[in-house]
Amino acid sequence: MTHPTEQSISEAGLSRRVSIPLFVLLVLGALPALLFAPLGVGVSVLALVGVIGAAVAFSRVKIVAGDTGLSARCMGIFHVSFAWDEILSVQEGPETGVLEGAGYRILPGGKVGLLVGGPSVEVRDSGKTYLLSVRDSQRTVEEIRRHLAAANSLL
C-alpha cells in the first residue's frame, strides 16, 4: 500500500507591518470593556478579542500539492481543493491588499479568494476562478504547472 505524498508549494502570511498593528488595535479597542464593564465581562471580551485578533492578524494561506490534486487552506479554517484533472488554468494573479481583505473572500467577477495580501495566483476550474495568496507568484505558478503536467502524464 502506498501513502499519498504531499508537498507544500507556498505558505504566505500577513505582513508584519500589517499584522502587529492590527493585533494591537484590536486589543486596544477591547480595553473599554475591561475598564467600564464588570471585571469578568471585561476580561472575557479582552480574551475573546485577543484570540480572534491573533487568528486574523497572524493568518496564513498554505498551498499543498498531493498525488490527487491541489489544496489551499487559509487560517486553518477555510479550504479549497482541486483534482488535477479539474484545473483548467493557472496564472499569476494581482497583488492584493486591504481593499480585497483577508481570509475567505467573495471577489468581483465571481472569483473566490483565500487571501492575506501580497502576490497571488489564479487557479481556474470549470466552476470558478480562485485567487490564492502566495509568497512568490511566479515560482508558485511554475511549481503548480510542474505538478499538473506530471499528473496529466499519468492519465
Side-chain angles (χ1 to χ4, degrees), residues 118-129:
S120 68
V121 296
E122 283 188 3
V123 179
R124 188 170 63 88
D125 68 11
S126 62
K128 284 203 174 315
T129 299

Side-chain angles (χ1 to χ4, degrees), residues 19-32:
S19 64
I20 292 173
L22 176 63
F23 181 73
V24 169
L25 285 173
L26 286 170
V27 170
L28 288 176
L31 283 180

Side-chain angles (χ1 to χ4, degrees), residues 49-65:
V49 168
V51 168
I52 292 170
V56 171
F58 301 104
S59 63
R60 309 190 75 61
V61 172
K62 184 174 184 177
I63 301 173
V64 175

Side-chain angles (χ1 to χ4, degrees), residues 20-82:
I20 292 173
L22 176 63
F23 181 73
V24 169
L25 285 173
L26 286 170
V27 170
L28 288 176
L31 283 180
L34 185 62
L35 297 173
F36 301 111
L39 185 60
V41 172
V43 170
S44 298
V45 168
L46 187 61
L48 180 63
V49 168
V51 168
I52 292 170
V56 171
F58 301 104
S59 63
R60 309 190 75 61
V61 172
K62 184 174 184 177
I63 301 173
V64 175
D67 292 339
T68 59
L70 185 72
S71 66
R73 185 172 296 279
C74 180
M75 303 169 91
I77 301 170
F78 307 109
H79 181 260
V80 295
S81 59
F82 315 87

